[in-house]
Amino acid sequence: MKTFDEMIDGYGRFRSGDWKRQHERWEQLKEGQSPQVMVIACSDSRVDPAQIFDVDPGEIFVVRNVAALVPPFETTPGQHGVSAALEFAVQFLKVREVVVMGHGMCGGCQAALTQNLHGNRLGEGGFVAHWIDMLDDVREPIAAEKGTVGRDAERAMEMAAVKVSLANLRTFPCVQEKEADGSLRLRGAYFAISDGVLHLLDERRGEFLPAS
């Protein structure tokens, strides 16, 4: 894996390569952005939405966090990073679609399933444990049916997490309003690291199906 100093070498290649080849594109982007799609994805280094969807700069507005989770709408004091990004994308950029993309081998979902970080102090796993406790309710039936270890249980949790985030998105008044009038569409996706296959959620069936 590359160090940051090695990444600076990559920056040099970018400046002499893509930056020059796409100069017209960058000239347009310096005036502002107008992406049509927001993607909420995991921070995992193996699942870069721009790479998976093969998009150019300016084409997707991306938020990444542990397990691609969206907390429910709330007005309590605090630093609401995901909520702020969602608000900006929906209300100001006026994106047409919000995609929640989970993925295989997700460490956050695995921790939610095993609860092995529960009780840890902040800074020693406690922040992660508190974040992923959003999945506690969906964990129970998965753990009862499939246990808390193994890929079957993990995959079920990973896909359930996408559905939780979609449900939480629908607690935001701006999302409710725009989804109701057809100006915003919510979509669930799941990228399998093992085989590189993208699955899309059919919400009517409650199933993830391979993208065609």
Side-chain angles (χ1 to χ4, degrees):
M1 298 296 107
K2 290 181 172 62
T3 65
F4 184 68
D5 285 341
E6 290 171 325
M7 291 180 189
I8 295 298
D9 293 335
Y11 160 72
R13 292 189 295 273
F14 160 73
R15 283 287 295 174
S16 62
D18 283 353
W19 173 261
K20 290 186 176 179
R21 284 193 296 271
Q22 298 191 47
H23 187 67
E24 183 177 341
R25 175 74 172 169
W26 291 105
E27 283 293 308
Q28 294 172 347
L29 291 174
K30 76 179 184 182
E31 303 299 328
Q33 59 173 323
S34 55
Q36 294 295 296
V37 179
M38 176 186 189
V39 178
I40 300 169
C42 186
S43 299
D44 193 300
S45 61
R46 299 166 292 180
V47 284
D48 178 8
Q51 183 179 37
I52 293 168
F53 294 113
D54 190 25
V55 294
D56 289 326
E59 291 191 307
I60 55 175
F61 186 80
V62 180
V63 171
R64 299 179 70 175
N65 62 53
V66 173
L69 292 176
V70 177
F73 177 79
E74 57 185 4
T75 58
T76 56
Q79 307 291 358
H80 302 295
V82 177
S83 301
L86 175 68
E87 180 183 69
F88 183 72
V90 171
Q91 298 288 61
F92 297 96
L93 295 179
K94 300 189 184 304
V95 297
R96 303 282 302 178
E97 297 181 276
V98 177
V99 180
V100 177
M101 186 178 74
H103 71 95
M105 309 301 292
C106 178
C109 287
Q110 183 184 54
L113 189 61
T114 63
Q115 296 190 334
N116 60 0
L117 295 179
H118 275 42
N120 285 26
R121 294 190 300 177
L122 297 178
E124 297 178 2
F127 284 120
V128 175
H130 179 61
W131 179 250
I132 59 177
D133 67 14
M134 281 184 268
L135 300 177
D136 283 355
D137 287 345
V138 295
R139 173 193 180 273
E140 297 308 316
I142 293 172
E145 179 184 351
K146 300 177 181 294
T148 59
V149 295
R151 279 305 300 149
D152 283 350
E154 291 167 0
R155 185 179 175 92
M157 177 60 86
E158 291 156 1
M159 291 181 169
V162 173
K163 296 177 182 179
V164 167
S165 287
L166 288 172
N168 287 346
L169 278 170
R170 292 186 169 109
T171 66
F172 286 78
C174 63
V175 171
Q176 295 170 3
E177 177 184 344
K178 290 179 180 293
E179 190 176 28
D181 69 21
S183 62
L184 182 68
R185 182 180 183 186
L186 304 186
R187 305 189 67 163
Y190 176 85
F191 180 75
I193 288 177
S194 59
D195 57 17
V197 175
L198 180 73
H199 294 73
L200 302 179
L201 175 62
D202 182 330
E203 290 201 83
R204 287 177 297 181
R205 297 168 57 177
E207 298 177 3
F208 286 84
L209 305 173
S212 55

